[in-house]
Amino acid sequence: MSAQPTATKTSAASGTPEGGNSPDGLKPGLKNRHLSMIAIGGVIGAGLFVGSASGIAAAGPGILLSYALVGVMVVFVMRMLGEMAAAHPTSGSFSEYADRALGRWAGFSIGWLYWFFWVVVLAVEATAGAVILEGWVPSVPQWAWALIVMVVLTATNLASVSSYGEFEFWFAGIKVVAIAAFILIGGLAVFGVLPGSDNDSAGLSNLTSHDGFLPNGPGAILTGVLLVVFSFMGSEIVTLAAGESEDPQRAVTKATNSVIWRIAVFYLGSIFVVVTLLPWDSKAIADHGSYVAALESIGIPHAGQVMNVIVLTAVLSCLNSGLYTASRMAFSLGKRRDAPKAFARTNSRGVPQAAIIGSVIFGFVAVFFNYKWPDTVFEFLLNSSGAVALFVWLVICFTQLRMRGIIQRETPEKLTVRMWLFPYLTWATIAMISFVLVYMLTDDAGREQVLLSLLVAAIVVGIALVRERVGGGAKAKDKDADTEALTRS
């Protein structure tokens, strides 16, 4: 890559100026290996390690069907998003596409809701990491560990996008290696060929011998869906990061095409190992968590500490990506004049410094709320952002319905990734997501999340509509300029 940016010469694949910043001012500092690992690691959140036990308790071995249903839904959503992102890679991803396809109010609303979701996640993950670190070094209080973790990862994101990519490459790499090793070792134990394993109860019989494959009835599959759906959030991060890569179109296409095996291996593969190594109603799963219990059952020493290291890595990875994602969405909103202008500025390293600092400040405030008012203010933040992931997926579906026609009309040569059986599978996915949202209303915890998330969404949409009406002609001109820029990208 040339040291001096060129004003006119651009990459044919991505539209990014060779040797310089991308058209929106961000520096393309992410290498292909960074994007590959971000794509793989993006589907492995801390929720997979710490939240799967509750799903197994609710649905038994049938939790595999819950993961499969959500996995299919995510594969379809990612295919739709990949279609749009391969044609027009941008840091605002689905928010910018919604802005164009559905209206400025839609881009504004889903962009801010997505930002809100991730800054709340920052507080959750910082606290989770602090709990683990305090257990290792109790002389340092939990709040101090949370502060240290946030400061270190903020500095990483402020340094350069390549610093974020490098950290995420290693964080995600550790997660991937850990899951792969777990599946390999556990699989050998399931089939009785692991040397030294003393788990005589392991085997495929665990799938049916304890009150059947669906011990709590078919309805438990849907309960399991509610418990596991949010552990899939993050798979879309690669489409935001692609805008800062050397070849965005190739990165998005590769990530979209590989999402099926990633979900099949890491989610279904690892959960299959857990429910075949141990009976689903094993007390060890409830007491120690599914992965720790599975490792202990085959005689892996210090399984709890090993898993703590892996969970900490997953937490740091989620924090790192969460800050990156929130700041890039804030940057995109700033570029579209839907956020403070300062958010749209980049420094000499191509980093949106103000967007990063603004996002992390809210994250720090949320951490403070978690320590000061965990059962009131912070619980409200958690619940009011809880269903945002499903809202984002819905918006992606409706946006793709409109964007397909726009891309075919204006830049048909960029339609290199296509949603299968369009528009039938798109509408089927909309129905699946809508069903999950409605079913959440029948669940006590889910009902509060949906209602509070709808309340916050209604407020944000209301603000967007008021701004659009008050802005009048100026907003229309801004939209025309943004549309022209997106078409050229």
Side-chain angles (χ1 to χ4, degrees):
M1 196 161 57
S2 171
Q4 294 298 324
T6 304
T8 57
K9 188 176 181 183
T10 61
S11 164
S14 66
T16 299
E18 289 186 3
N21 290 3
S22 62
D24 57 10
L26 297 172
K27 187 174 182 179
L30 293 176
K31 297 180 171 61
N32 288 332
R33 65 182 178 88
H34 294 152
L35 266 294
S36 296
M37 197 57 75
I38 289 170
I40 295 172
V43 298
I44 308 173
L48 174 62
F49 299 108
V50 300
S52 54
S54 57
I56 293 171
I63 194 66
L64 288 167
L65 296 180
S66 302
Y67 274 104
L69 284 173
V70 179
V72 168
M73 193 164 65
V74 172
V75 166
F76 290 164
V77 170
M78 278 297 295
R79 188 74 186 183
M80 288 180 257
L81 183 54
E83 176 180 297
M84 297 182 287
H88 299 296
T90 173
S91 61
S93 189
F94 51 83
S95 175
E96 290 200 37
Y97 309 141
D99 194 305
R100 184 174 185 198
L102 304 179
R104 195 176 188 93
W105 66 271
F108 175 96
S109 302
I110 204 62
W112 276 114
L113 286 172
Y114 191 68
W115 178 86
F116 174 57
F117 172 86
W118 279 111
V119 292
V120 173
V121 167
L122 291 181
V124 174
E125 301 297 343
T127 303
V131 169
I132 295 173
L133 290 166
E134 186 188 31
W136 293 342
V137 187
S139 59
V140 179
Q142 191 180 121
W143 66 266
W145 278 122
L147 181 65
I148 291 169
V149 166
M150 290 278 277
V151 167
V152 169
L153 293 179
T154 300
T156 300
N157 276 265
L158 285 172
S160 67
V161 68
S162 60
S163 297
Y164 155 73
E166 200 63 33
F167 268 72
E168 192 56 26
F169 176 81
W170 291 106
F171 286 153
I174 292 172
K175 292 190 294 183
V176 169
V177 170
I179 288 286
F182 176 81
I183 293 173
L184 176 61
I185 295 171
L188 292 175
V190 168
F191 293 102
V193 293
L194 180 67
S197 175
D198 56 359
N199 184 2
D200 297 329
S201 63
L204 297 178
S205 61
N206 282 327
L207 294 175
T208 56
S209 60
H210 295 262
D211 297 323
F213 185 71
L214 295 172
N216 297 324
I221 297 173
L222 295 176
T223 303
V225 166
L226 301 188
L227 293 170
V228 307
V229 66
F230 300 107
S231 65
F232 283 81
M233 192 65 173
S235 54
E236 73 291 334
I237 291 175
V238 69
T239 64
L240 282 80
E244 293 177 80
S245 69
E246 298 165 341
D247 191 350
Q249 190 180 73
R250 178 178 179 272
V252 169
T253 302
K254 186 176 179 181
T256 302
N257 291 336
S258 65
V259 70
I260 297 175
W261 72 259
R262 286 185 275 133
I263 289 175
V265 172
F266 297 127
Y267 279 88
L268 292 177
S270 62
I271 296 299
F272 174 81
V273 168
V274 171
V275 295
T276 49
L277 279 178
L278 289 167
W280 70 271
D281 53 358
S282 169
K283 190 173 182 296
I285 293 179
D287 291 344
H288 305 297
S290 52
Y291 288 84
V292 173
L295 290 173
E296 288 180 341
S297 73
I298 55 177
I300 301 298
H302 311 293
Q305 288 304 320
V306 170
M307 193 51 59
N308 272 340
V309 172
I310 296 170
V311 171
L312 179 62
T313 303
V315 164
L316 294 176
S317 172
C318 190
L319 259 175
N320 194 38
S321 287
L323 181 53
Y324 172 85
T325 305
S327 65
R328 272 23 177 212
M329 187 57 73
F331 169 81
S332 175
L333 289 166
K335 293 290 287 187
R336 288 175 278 151
R337 299 173 179 83
D338 287 335
K341 289 182 179 179
F343 284 4
R345 300 192 189 107
T346 57
N347 60 21
S348 60
R349 298 184 300 278
V351 173
Q353 188 169 296
I356 292 173
I357 293 173
S359 300
V360 82
I361 284 175
F362 192 96
F364 277 125
V365 171
V367 170
F368 172 76
F369 287 154
N370 192 17
Y371 287 108
K372 189 70 175 176
W373 302 291
D375 299 323
T376 52
V377 178
F378 189 69
E379 186 175 354
F380 171 80
L381 290 178
L382 278 179
N383 287 326
S384 60
S385 64
V388 166
L390 294 171
F391 296 167
V392 168
W393 295 345
L394 265 182
V395 168
I396 290 172
C397 294
F398 282 111
T399 300
Q400 190 260 343
L401 285 172
R402 298 288 299 275
M403 280 297 290
R404 167 64 76 91
I406 294 173
I407 297 170
Q408 284 182 321
R409 185 170 62 251
E410 298 179 356
T411 54
E413 72 282 358
K414 292 187 176 182
L415 198 57
T416 56
V417 176
R418 292 174 180 263
M419 176 59 184
W420 307 295
L421 297 177
F422 177 83
Y424 307 108
L425 274 186
T426 300
W427 281 111
T429 308
I430 290 171
M432 291 168 65
I433 298 170
S434 301
F435 178 81
V436 172
L437 282 168
V438 171
Y439 189 77
M440 286 178 71
L441 293 174
T442 67
D443 178 75
D444 291 338
R447 185 184 307 113
E448 187 173 9
Q449 286 189 6
V450 172
L451 294 178
L452 287 177
S453 296
L454 283 172
L455 172 63
V456 171
I459 293 172
V460 175
V461 170
I463 293 172
L465 293 174
V466 169
R467 287 179 78 255
E468 194 167 352
R469 176 166 294 191
V470 171
K475 293 294 182 188
K477 290 179 182 178
D478 289 346
K479 170 116 182 190
D480 290 340
D482 293 339
T483 299
E484 183 180 352
L486 187 58
T487 303
R488 291 197 308 265
S489 68

